[in-house]
């Protein structure tokens, strides 16, 4: 254990200035620190007891991950949006996802910047809804592959990532009933089916 030393005058002055602003932890026991260091107050406060962390749910290898938010806007590292909950007629959705329904209008955003693509998408979707159309095809392209093959997978296709988010947010969100990746005959992972609500 280190030996205590006598405080120098400037250290004593500093200690007194600090001691005047301090509240005693245990009133009645030792009111300060003498220069000799014989009567030292406790320095460390009692350790705070942290609330117990909730236990993690058990997970077995091969089990499907349980997600709390089915309608999450986040996307994985490969740019695929998570499966959105079904909001349209199941039979129509099945036909649409198998490429059996023909889109009534299409827009090709592929090659545009985000700044140019966003207003074009808004005008196209709201105009189509005003004309009473229901099924649209939005072509984004698959995007370029990342130039390096690093350890972390990179996202390719900024439009492919951004368009589903724009379709779920204002001003397009209220007009859109369902967004899903197109069938390969209509562009596959480089395009999206957009199923619109009926205009009111």
């Amino acid at each position: 254990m280190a030996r205590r030393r006598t405080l120098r005058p400037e250290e004593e002055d500093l200690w007194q200035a600090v001691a005047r602003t301090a509240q005693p932890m245990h009133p009645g026991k030792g009111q300060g620190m003498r220069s000799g260091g014989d009567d030292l107050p406790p320095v460390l406060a009692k350790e705070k007891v942290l609330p117990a962390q909730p236990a993690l749910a058990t997970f077995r290898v091969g089990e499907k991950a349980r997600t709390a938010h089915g309608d999450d806007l986040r996307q994985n590292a490969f740019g695929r949006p998570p499966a959105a909950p079904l909001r349209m007629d199941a039979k129509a959705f099945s036909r649409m996802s198998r490429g059996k329904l023909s889109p009534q209008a299409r827009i090709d955003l592929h090659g545009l910047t985000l700044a140019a693509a966003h207003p074009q998408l808004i005008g196209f979707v709201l105009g189509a809804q005003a004309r009473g159309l229901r099924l649209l095809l939005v072509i984004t392209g698959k995007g370029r592959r990342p130039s390096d093959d690093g350890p972390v997978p990179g996202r390719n296709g900024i439009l492919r990532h951004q368009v589903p988010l724009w379709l779920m947010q204002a001003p397009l969100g209220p007009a859109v009933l369902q967004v899903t990746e197109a069938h390969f005959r209509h562009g596959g992972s480089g395009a999206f089916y957009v199923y619109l609500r009926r205009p009111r």
Side-chain angles (χ1 to χ4, degrees):
M1 184 171 160
R3 287 186 348 200
R4 293 181 183 148
R5 64 176 180 79
T6 305
L7 295 176
R8 294 193 301 260
E10 62 272 10
E11 292 174 329
E12 178 74 34
D13 292 340
L14 182 60
W15 170 253
Q16 291 303 329
V18 171
R20 279 193 294 274
T21 63
Q23 295 285 333
M25 288 175 53
H26 305 286
K29 294 183 180 178
Q31 293 299 321
M33 178 177 177
R34 295 196 191 100
S35 330
D38 296 331
D39 188 15
L40 291 173
V43 176
L44 298 175
K46 287 183 182 175
E47 232 179 87
K48 289 185 180 177
V49 180
L50 297 174
Q53 295 294 324
L56 294 173
T58 56
F59 182 79
R60 296 181 185 181
V61 176
E63 180 182 358
K64 283 190 175 181
R66 294 181 287 271
T67 55
H69 306 290
D71 194 16
D72 201 344
L73 296 183
R74 290 172 296 181
Q75 301 193 6
N76 64 24
F78 299 102
R80 283 191 179 214
L86 189 61
R87 294 190 186 104
M88 61 184 284
D89 177 63
K91 192 181 261 185
F93 178 79
S94 173
R95 293 187 65 219
M96 178 179 76
S97 57
R98 286 184 290 128
K100 300 290 185 189
L101 296 180
S102 294
Q104 297 168 300
R106 69 183 66 217
I107 185 171
D108 190 350
L109 302 175
H110 150 242
L112 298 179
T113 63
L114 291 177
H118 195 195
Q120 284 197 30
L121 181 67
I122 292 171
F124 170 71
V125 171
L126 296 181
Q129 188 190 36
R131 293 195 323 262
L133 305 182
R134 299 300 303 277
L135 181 59
L136 311 178
L137 182 69
V138 177
I139 302 165
T140 61
K142 296 179 183 178
R144 294 187 196 137
R145 292 186 56 81
S147 56
D148 64 332
D149 293 327
V152 178
R155 177 181 290 135
N156 54 338
I158 190 69
L159 277 175
R160 182 168 166 256
H161 164 73
Q162 199 63 37
V163 162
L165 302 181
W166 288 340
L167 290 167
M168 292 183 226
Q169 297 168 349
L172 298 178
V176 174
L177 189 62
Q178 194 79 43
V179 179
T180 191
E181 196 173 277
H183 188 267
F184 74 89
R185 77 175 65 177
H186 293 131
S189 60
F192 293 95
Y193 292 131
V194 180
Y195 199 79
L196 301 179
R197 298 180 192 277
R198 291 187 190 281
R200 291 176 184 173

